[in-house]
Amino acid sequence: MSVELPFAPVDAIIRQNAGELRVSAGAAEALARRIQDHGAELAIDAADRATADGRKTLMAEDFGVQQVVNRDELLLPIAPIDRIARLRIDDRYRVAMDARIALADILEDYAVNVAGAAVKLAHHADRRTVQSEDIETYFSLFE
């Protein structure tokens, strides 16, 4: 499966947490893949909620979000988030703009948490670069 999310904003999220550490391209790619998988799973659950409410449009509340942040506050771009939301749900569903923004906010928080842990793992390994193995180690330890 191709990765819908551009690596640059994911790299920026890791760098925000990395301080003086460098970030490998592999780390950004690994985290982008994990973000995409997580977002697609969240969309499946949101689609189930929408269906239970008799709707074909996913709304922010289907993602458990009551207040949607301003789109300009997000690093993750909205268009790829829309494609991620649609990866594993039926084509009959639509994704409202507030749902896209809510999902982007959720996924950005998710990425920040993973990136912070990956930075700690890189420090613990006494490396100067956050690598894909730090991302994967996080998931092997905490999921």
Side-chain angles (χ1 to χ4, degrees):
M1 172 185 350
S2 69
V3 179
E4 298 290 336
L5 194 60
F7 299 154
V10 177
D11 181 82
I13 290 170
I14 299 171
R15 286 181 192 283
Q16 283 181 340
N17 288 277
E20 77 285 353
L21 296 181
R22 295 182 303 234
V23 178
S24 74
E29 181 179 356
L31 184 52
R33 286 184 187 283
R34 292 296 188 145
I35 292 168
Q36 178 170 302
D37 289 342
H38 186 60
E41 290 299 317
L42 291 173
I44 291 170
D45 293 339
D48 290 343
R49 287 185 200 95
T51 299
D53 285 348
R55 290 182 281 107
K56 293 181 183 176
T57 301
L58 305 186
M59 307 297 282
E61 56 266 16
D62 296 323
F63 290 98
V65 174
Q66 298 305 317
Q67 183 160 350
V68 179
V69 299
N70 186 329
R71 178 182 186 165
D72 296 333
E73 296 174 19
L74 299 171
L75 287 174
L76 296 179
I78 300 303
I81 296 298
D82 181 47
R83 291 190 297 274
I84 288 169
R86 296 169 190 272
L87 282 173
R88 297 186 194 146
I89 61 173
D90 194 319
D91 287 341
R92 64 190 167 108
Y93 291 102
R94 293 182 303 273
V95 183
M97 181 56 77
D98 69 334
R100 295 176 206 166
I101 295 168
L103 181 56
D105 186 31
I106 292 166
L107 294 178
E108 197 166 303
D109 286 344
Y110 176 80
V112 167
N113 290 332
V114 174
V119 166
K120 288 179 185 174
L121 290 167
H123 278 296
H124 182 72
D126 202 27
R127 278 189 275 99
R128 293 178 22 197
T129 304
V130 178
Q131 299 177 351
S132 62
E133 68 188 64
D134 300 314
I135 303 295
E136 297 307 325
T137 299
Y138 168 83
F139 286 102
S140 68
L141 291 172
F142 300 109
E143 281 200 339

